[in-house]
Amino acid sequence: MYEFDWSSVVPSLPFLMDGMVITLKITITAIVIGILWGTILAVMRLSTFKPISWFAAAYVNTFRSIPLVMVLLWFYLIVPNILQNVLGLSPKSDIRLISAMVAFSLFEAAYYSEIIRAGIQSISKGQFSASLALGMTKSQTMRLVILPQAFRAMIPLLLTQGIVLFQDTSLVYVLSLTDFFRTAANIGERDGTQVEMILFAGFVYFIISFSASMLVNFLKKRTT
């Protein structure tokens, strides 16, 4: 019968916290940039100017049709060339972290854009017409009237996508990036406690994701 050995957990907490910092950096960066770029894509897709609408649709459909692992590997190969050859920069920071942030941000923007587009379309067209009748421009109407209402209704869905993103960050193992999960796996391999460390990492992911889910449920009740 297998005997669990949890003795490596407490001494390894400082290293695990360092890994969690990397995980949260990727998550927060991807959420912020993903929502900003996703909002632009959603507005572009609703545009009556066909080339802009087609570009946004092609972007969203392309990223939603490609596995995230493949996107991570692509950007791990592309980002260094852009920084060094196009921008003339020699990055001193870990290029794997920068690549992961870029990949997750652009990938998640495709999913956020669909959530935001649905939120915009859920707003009554009468409000748009009323705003134009009051002398507001289309951009002012979208920025000051439509988007604030849409985002209020979309907050639970945006947070839910953020939870999925947080869980997906464990895929950066393909870049050998020492995020929380990779750190736990490395410690387990070093100390011969792979099962215990992976179970502990899974427990931490569960606690964080479950707590965030409870927050989503609370916000759903507040917005309904």
Side-chain angles (χ1 to χ4, degrees), residues 92-180:
K92 297 180 180 179
S93 58
D94 193 339
I95 195 64
R96 293 171 297 181
L97 178 58
I98 298 175
S99 300
M101 288 179 174
V102 172
F104 270 101
S105 297
L106 298 182
F107 184 85
E108 290 299 319
Y111 288 86
Y112 278 123
S113 70
E114 289 299 276
I115 296 173
I116 296 167
R117 183 168 69 96
I120 293 173
Q121 291 177 322
S122 69
I123 304 301
S124 172
K125 293 182 179 180
Q127 296 196 38
F128 192 86
S129 300
S131 299
L132 294 178
L134 291 173
M136 298 178 68
T137 64
K138 289 184 178 180
S139 61
Q140 288 175 328
T141 300
M142 181 63 70
R143 189 176 70 254
L144 302 177
V145 178
I146 305 300
L147 284 177
Q149 295 183 70
F151 270 103
R152 184 177 182 275
M154 290 185 299
I155 287 176
L157 290 175
L158 295 176
L159 288 176
T160 299
Q161 185 62 34
I163 295 171
V164 175
L165 165 60
F166 171 72
Q167 296 169 344
D168 286 345
T169 54
S170 60
L171 292 175
V172 297
Y173 76 87
V174 299
L175 307 182
S176 299
L177 191 60
T178 52
D179 68 320
F180 181 77

Side-chain angles (χ1 to χ4, degrees), residues 59-76 103-104 106-108 110-111 168 171-175:
Y59 180 99
V60 171
N61 291 329
T62 298
F63 274 96
R64 295 186 68 183
S65 303
I66 300 174
L68 178 54
V69 172
M70 187 177 296
V71 175
L72 286 169
L73 291 173
W74 280 356
F75 279 93
Y76 180 55
F104 270 101
L106 298 182
F107 184 85
E108 290 299 319
Y111 288 86
D168 286 345
L171 292 175
V172 297
Y173 76 87
V174 299
L175 307 182

